[in-house]
Amino acid sequence: MNHVIETIDLCYTYPDGSKALENVNFAAGKGDKIAILGPNGAGKSTLLHHFNGLLMPTSGKVKVLGLDVSRANLDFVRQKVGLVFQNPDDQLFAPTVAQDIAFGPKNLRLSAKEIEERVKWAIEVMELQGLEHKSPHKLSQGQKKRVAIAGVLAMKPEIIALDEPTANLDPKTVNKILELLLKLNRELELTIIIATHDVDFVPLCTDKAYILNHGKVVAKGLLKEVFSNTETLRNVDLRLPRITHLFEILKVKDNLPVSNTLPLTIGEARREIHRLLGRKNLYSN
């Protein structure tokens, strides 16, 4: 399989000598939706910052579309890998929304027409119409987050990496961000990588997961596999999604004949409940 992004024995040590990443091997293919899970301080943000060259490895390699992430390749890497910070205020700086979104394309030295088209497209995709001339810093937190994502999208990346995308957002805004990310993945085959400890959000938007703890990968695989490893999750101070935890209790404490593969979402839970009730073929998705 060709990887659009991968790390090979990636290690990173901070200037004070503390190790942030140790021999991290990560890979994502085109159109993948991957979660990087871990408690605070696990190294999630540090790993993301290596994907587009904000940080360079102490040892090991990072590759984007087959090219090493190096100072010589930074322009290419940062065009292909868009990074959305946890706090949008760290990313937004221009006087207006439209100017902020246009910053990346201008750095690509595109024509004025192409820049205008990209800004218009990104505004439409992120549903920011009517906010073009407003100051980003006067927007709500959810609007700021969408502007930050729009600025990344205007670069037309193949990979978008988001650091704690649900942080400080209300449930309605989280659902909107989720809806837009899934649309981008579906329609553009955009590879989406999300670093988070929000385990309830992860099953809604990703298919695979890596678990980091103290800078090391302690588990990886399909979500079903990763969330089946309850001991590892709890050892790194993570928990099961709420719906999964409920069915674990029903299986272990109440001795109900729940499937070994526990539901991760409400949709999966509905199907499992109907299976337990003996109802068949009621839902196809």
Side-chain angles (χ1 to χ4, degrees):
M1 175 182 180
N2 293 325
H3 301 306
V4 295
I5 189 166
E6 63 180 324
T7 69
I8 303 164
D9 296 330
L10 171 62
C11 297
Y12 183 74
T13 302
Y14 284 113
D16 65 3
S18 58
K19 291 184 177 180
L21 298 172
E22 289 191 58
N23 297 316
V24 172
N25 290 287
F26 171 95
K30 185 174 179 62
D32 276 352
K33 297 174 291 182
I34 299 178
I36 301 173
L37 287 163
N40 291 333
K44 303 187 299 297
S45 297
T46 303
L47 179 56
L48 287 196
H49 291 173
H50 278 80
F51 290 164
N52 80 340
L54 280 181
L55 294 175
M56 293 293 178
T58 302
S59 64
K61 288 186 177 183
V62 182
K63 289 180 174 288
V64 171
L65 297 171
L67 285 181
D68 287 348
V69 175
S70 65
R71 302 197 189 283
N73 296 327
L74 276 184
D75 288 345
F76 171 84
V77 168
R78 289 178 179 171
Q79 182 181 350
K80 296 301 181 182
V81 183
L83 179 61
V84 180
F85 295 124
Q86 176 176 345
N87 184 353
D89 287 322
D90 293 338
Q91 198 157 345
L92 305 176
F93 61 90
T96 69
V97 166
Q99 288 174 299
D100 211 295
I101 296 171
F103 178 77
K106 283 183 177 178
N107 278 350
L108 296 178
R109 297 177 183 174
L110 302 175
S111 68
K113 182 181 178 181
E114 176 69 12
I115 293 169
E116 182 181 356
E117 289 175 351
R118 288 196 182 198
V119 171
K120 181 180 178 181
W121 172 77
I123 285 172
E124 289 176 355
V125 168
M126 296 310 297
E127 300 181 5
L128 294 164
Q129 297 93 329
L131 301 178
E132 295 94 331
H133 305 298
K134 290 187 177 292
S135 167
H137 300 293
K138 293 183 179 179
L139 301 179
S140 70
Q141 192 72 4
Q143 289 170 330
K144 288 179 182 179
K145 184 77 77 171
R146 283 189 281 145
V147 173
I149 296 173
V152 166
L153 291 178
M155 298 284 285
K156 295 292 181 78
E158 294 191 30
I159 303 132
I160 183 168
L162 302 101
D163 194 359
E164 299 289 359
T166 63
N168 302 316
L169 298 181
D170 61 76
K172 182 178 179 180
T173 303
V174 169
N175 286 338
K176 174 55 67 175
I177 296 291
L178 170 64
E179 175 187 318
L180 294 171
L181 288 176
L182 292 177
K183 182 179 179 181
L184 290 166
N185 172 260
R186 183 173 63 251
E187 296 182 358
L188 303 179
E189 272 196 285
L190 192 67
T191 300
I192 295 175
I193 303 169
I194 295 174
T196 185
H197 57 259
D198 186 348
V199 295
D200 293 305
F201 181 70
V202 165
L204 303 176
C205 60
T206 62
D207 304 314
K208 304 173 185 176
Y210 286 72
I211 297 180
L212 282 182
N213 192 40
H214 299 303
K216 298 178 181 178
V217 175
V218 295
K220 64 180 180 178
L222 296 175
L223 283 190
K224 295 282 188 184
E225 299 167 354
V226 170
F227 281 120
S228 293
N229 194 344
T230 56
E231 184 177 355
T232 296
L233 284 170
R234 286 163 178 150
N235 282 343
V236 299
D237 296 326
L238 292 175
R239 61 170 175 81
L240 291 172
R242 296 294 185 194
I243 197 75
T244 310
H245 188 205
L246 170 61
F247 277 81
E248 181 190 39
I249 291 170
L250 293 174
K251 183 180 181 68
V252 174
K253 294 189 176 181
D254 298 329
N255 295 315
L256 289 181
V258 173
S259 298
N260 289 330
T261 302
L262 299 175
L264 300 178
T265 65
I266 289 175
E268 292 177 3
R270 287 179 70 199
R271 288 193 290 273
E272 180 64 6
I273 288 169
H274 282 284
R275 187 192 69 79
L276 291 171
L277 293 173
R279 301 175 184 176
K280 299 179 180 178
N281 302 320
L282 290 181
Y283 302 99
S284 58
N285 53 48

